[in-house]
Amino acid sequence: MSAVTERLDLLAPEPSRLAIVRMVILNRPSTIAAVCLILVFVAIATAAPLIAPYDPLAQSYIKINQSPSWEHWLGTDQFGRDVLSRMIYGSRNSLIIGVLAPLVAAIIGTTLGVVAGFFGGIIDRVISRLVDLLISFPELLLAIIIAAALGGGFWNIVIVLAAAFVPNFARVARAQTMAVRAEPYVEAAVASGVTQLRIIMRHIIPNIAAPIVVLMTLWTASAIRLEASLSFLGLGTQAPQPSWGNIIRDGLNNLFGSPWPVIGAGLAITSVVLAFNLLGDTIRDVLDPETSP
Amino acid sequence: MTGPLLSVRDLRKVFNAQAGFGRPSAGVRAVDGISFDVEPGETLALVGESGCGKSTLGRLILQLIPASGGQVMFEGVDLVHLGTRPLREMRRRMQMVFQDPFGSLSPRRSVADIVAEPIDSFGLAPSRKARREMVADLLHQVGLPSSVMDRYPRQFSGGQRQRIGIARAIAAGPSFIVADEPVSALDVSVQAQVINLMQDLQESRGLTYLFIAHDLAVVRHIATRVAVMYLGRIVEIGPKARVYAAPHHPYTQALLSAAPNPDPDIPKRQIILTGDVPSPSNAPSGCAFHTRCPIAQARCRMEAPELRPVGGGHQAACHFATDHPIPVPS
């Protein structure tokens, strides 16, 4: 018995949550860049009226299709609107939709998936067939169908995109739940008289959180992209309100007149998507007890 | 207490292999009509080769999986037909120690949270301070210092994890513990420590064990009685000394003769069984063992033998059980 205690005294101290976060970030310096980038975009979206040099809706026919200059850093579009100001205001729509749609989808989808995976049987079959039905449509097509039925507008886009993403979360959550449910420690919890609700909250959710969070960051990127696509098709943010998506749509019509709207909004979407993906990888590492130091 | 602590009657479990919308195929009879009693304070060892239904039987008794039929009377209550809530209450009195010391402890919970799981679920600790004291005491009982409380399972060895698992099993003060191969995943040197710990706890807390194992040396050390399983049925059950000294069922004889013997002077008389274990989804007619039995006769193919007494509280399920008690070298 003494041998057991001796060896236990040599155990390294358990690192705190903060220490784990610090170590993971040090291992992935790109996380800092990603977080900074996201913070910058959030700041820009919040302070849009203060920093935008022009009214994003103000048209001027005497200065259409201008290249970048000191007056218009990203030039002007075919209506003579300042592209930079439109992008700054457009970040509001794009970012909020990018975060909100996957979040709503994650909450609904995870709930459905966990219920299906945990309880199984007829409940699982009903939910799974429903999810199969939704997943048989490509996200964009599903979004278009729902958007066409509901019409455009900010909240409708959130609903549309969330509905399009729900099946993905539900499928991952169901598969993960079924895997975790088969773990001996879940059986041990049942044997210890732990109620089903507590097992779900204490054992299932924490153990499936990592892939769900990563999925959320991935779909954040897709949400921004899909919002752009919907706007591009005229089903998303309604003109003349700017979003990165409809800046690209308007810009494409006039790509050879002035490529700057497309380039600017494209770069913004790419960098936000990249930042969220990097952040997702790091969150996955922090949440995973096996990879965290 | 008078009478058995646990009394299992004609317990059955059929696993249906279902394929999507398809009809359920012929089920796998993992546990096929098993009856036995466990007396308070004893250790009943359940042995048999892989896939014979040992673990399924252990889980059925604790109602971790629903039974397809039969009765499990624990402290006079039939667990099979008990509702969810009263069954949950009964779980205070019966617990399980798991085979896999790695999978059975959640990697995300501290040792204190793991050990206190039964304490929390039955609301046994009046305050946080009391909870910590209870956990410290439990850890002490399994030979771990209370300083490990705030650590996570990944820092511990297999033997230490198994001690944590045992601390969790005794946390709510059960009278009965199903130990599902608790040492088979451990190093031999650690096995003895954990076995001794379980015996110490049995003595100090008056525990009753159903000890599932395939290691006959371990069983010989810990068991009071031994039950031998083959293809979902008990083929022989009796006091340890009698089963080891005079096995009556040809399967038990083969099993015992296959156990390694450390004494080189004793000539080896190993009984080699031919063929594989038949699939439990398509079990042989009559006596399930007749396909591999060295003494099988025509009757064995037709008629399934029942367990019948062969003297001294010893029972065997073989038509010829009394006719051939071959002593096996030990």
Side-chain angles (χ1 to χ4, degrees):
Chain A
M1 214 77 72
S2 62
V4 175
T5 34
E6 272 164 36
R7 265 184 275 131
L8 285 171
D9 290 340
L10 296 174
L11 287 183
E14 196 67 50
S16 67
R17 268 273 149 175
L18 198 69
I20 292 175
V21 171
R22 197 185 301 142
M23 257 186 265
V24 169
I25 288 177
L26 285 179
N27 283 340
R28 287 176 172 274
S30 56
T31 312
I32 301 168
V35 171
C36 288
L37 199 61
I38 292 171
L39 286 179
V40 165
F41 274 111
V42 169
I44 289 174
T46 318
L50 298 177
I51 53 175
Y54 297 93
D55 180 346
L57 306 182
Q59 303 183 356
S60 170
Y61 290 101
I62 52 166
K63 43 184 182 183
I64 55 171
N65 295 341
Q66 287 185 1
S67 292
S69 64
W70 281 113
E71 272 171 45
H72 299 283
W73 290 5
L74 284 176
T76 56
D77 64 10
Q78 74 266 42
F79 298 111
R81 299 176 294 201
D82 180 49
V83 173
L84 182 63
S85 302
R86 286 183 66 73
M87 277 185 49
I88 289 171
Y89 273 93
S91 66
R92 291 181 152 185
N93 276 325
S94 295
L95 283 183
I96 296 176
I97 288 167
V99 173
L100 219 52
L103 188 69
V104 172
I107 292 169
I108 299 172
T110 306
T111 309
L112 285 175
V114 167
V115 166
F118 189 83
F119 293 103
I122 185 80
I123 299 174
D124 179 28
R125 266 187 239 174
V126 170
I127 294 179
S128 292
R129 291 299 92 81
L130 220 64
V131 167
D132 286 349
L133 193 73
L134 287 176
I135 218 159
S136 60
F137 296 97
E139 282 85 22
L140 184 60
L141 190 59
L142 192 61
I144 290 172
I145 294 169
I146 306 173
L150 291 179
F154 177 79
W155 286 107
N156 280 348
I157 301 173
V158 174
I159 294 170
V160 161
L161 292 180
F165 296 165
V166 158
N168 301 284
F169 285 94
R171 274 228 302 209
V172 171
R174 173 175 175 269
Q176 293 282 325
T177 301
M178 286 168 76
V180 174
R181 195 183 148 61
E183 291 284 344
Y185 58 80
V186 173
E187 193 173 35
V190 176
S192 297
V194 182
T195 56
Q196 290 183 324
L197 188 66
R198 268 193 178 177
I199 288 176
I200 290 177
M201 299 312 280
R202 280 195 192 165
H203 292 292
I204 307 280
I205 300 279
N207 282 296
I208 70 166
I212 297 292
V213 168
V214 174
L215 207 60
M216 246 166 75
T217 62
L218 287 178
W219 285 109
T220 292
S222 296
I224 294 175
R225 191 173 49 82
L226 283 174
E227 190 276 334
S229 305
L230 285 179
S231 299
F232 183 81
L233 295 168
L235 290 168
T237 309
Q238 297 298 298
Q241 291 301 323
S243 82
W244 293 345
N246 61 19
I247 291 173
I248 291 183
R249 176 186 60 173
D250 294 348
L252 270 183
N253 293 335
N254 190 29
L255 192 61
F256 298 105
S258 168
W260 299 103
V262 175
I263 293 172
L267 274 178
I269 293 175
T270 309
S271 45
V272 168
V273 165
L274 186 66
F276 272 108
N277 284 356
L278 288 173
L279 185 65
D281 285 351
T282 305
I283 290 175
R284 194 198 65 83
D285 282 359
V286 173
L287 288 178
D288 188 345
E290 305 301 329
T291 57
S292 61
Chain B
M1 185 171 158
T2 53
L5 177 73
L6 174 79
S7 170
V8 174
R9 288 291 170 270
D10 195 32
L11 193 59
R12 290 167 192 280
K13 179 66 188 178
V14 181
F15 288 110
N16 288 320
Q18 270 180 333
F21 289 105
R23 285 175 292 115
S25 65
V28 174
R29 286 182 293 174
V31 170
D32 195 11
I34 279 182
S35 304
F36 63 91
D37 291 340
V38 181
E39 304 296 329
E42 76 166 346
T43 299
L44 177 65
L46 197 58
V47 297
E49 58 201 305
S50 303
C52 70
K54 313 187 285 287
S55 294
T56 305
L57 180 57
R59 282 171 170 74
L60 278 178
I61 290 169
L62 294 185
Q63 286 294 297
L64 293 175
I65 47 176
S68 307
Q71 257 192 343
V72 178
M73 300 292 286
F74 177 74
E75 293 181 338
V77 181
D78 182 8
L79 302 180
V80 173
H81 301 103
L82 210 56
T84 316
R85 272 157 184 270
L87 179 63
R88 206 174 82 80
E89 277 306 308
M90 291 304 283
R91 297 201 183 284
R92 265 179 81 163
R93 310 283 304 135
M94 51 187 197
Q95 275 293 321
M96 181 142 183
V97 174
F98 292 85
Q99 172 175 14
D100 176 5
F102 292 86
S104 60
L105 308 180
S106 171
R108 287 172 192 283
R109 315 208 73 205
S110 69
V111 171
D113 285 342
I114 290 169
V115 172
E117 192 155 58
I119 297 177
D120 294 341
S121 76
F122 297 116
L124 303 180
S127 67
R128 290 191 68 81
K129 191 164 167 283
R131 179 179 184 261
R132 279 189 83 80
E133 279 165 10
M134 288 166 94
V135 171
D137 178 51
L138 289 163
L139 289 173
H140 181 72
Q141 288 189 46
V142 298
L144 291 173
S146 52
S147 60
V148 304
M149 222 186 271
D150 298 315
R151 298 180 176 281
Y152 286 81
R154 67 166 176 275
Q155 293 204 335
F156 296 94
S157 69
Q160 291 162 346
R161 283 165 175 247
Q162 208 55 310
R163 285 171 191 269
I164 296 169
I166 292 171
R168 167 175 60 191
I170 60 173
S175 58
F176 176 62
I177 289 181
V178 172
D180 185 10
E181 309 220 20
V183 296
S184 62
L186 305 179
D187 291 345
V188 176
S189 59
V190 182
Q191 285 191 357
Q193 291 179 16
V194 172
I195 292 287
N196 289 339
L197 170 67
M198 288 186 68
Q199 286 187 311
D200 291 346
L201 290 172
Q202 180 166 40
E203 218 161 281
S204 62
R205 307 184 66 114
L207 296 173
T208 305
Y209 289 138
L210 179 70
F211 193 95
I212 299 169
H214 60 246
D215 184 333
L216 292 168
V218 168
V219 167
R220 175 164 232 169
H221 183 71
I222 197 169
T224 319
R225 287 193 304 144
V226 179
V228 182
M229 270 184 85
Y230 185 79
L231 274 184
R233 289 167 176 254
I234 287 180
V235 295
E236 181 153 9
I237 182 168
K240 169 178 70 179
R242 287 191 59 94
V243 171
Y244 272 82
H248 278 60
H249 196 284
Y251 178 64
T252 315
Q253 290 164 4
L255 208 60
L256 287 174
S257 79
N261 195 316
D263 189 343
D265 294 335
I266 293 177
K268 240 180 155 23
R269 282 206 295 153
Q270 195 169 333
I271 304 167
I272 308 284
L273 292 179
T274 51
D276 286 328
V277 187
S279 160
S281 63
N282 187 19
S285 62
C287 175
F289 188 58
H290 83 252
T291 52
R292 302 169 77 194
C293 183
I295 57 164
Q297 297 185 16
R299 183 185 172 192
C300 301
R301 274 185 284 281
M302 323 293 284
E303 198 182 324
E306 295 294 315
L307 271 177
R308 57 200 174 89
V310 291
H314 187 173
Q315 293 175 291
C318 177
H319 295 304
F320 309 105
T322 46
D323 304 335
H324 60 90
I326 314 161
V328 165
S330 59

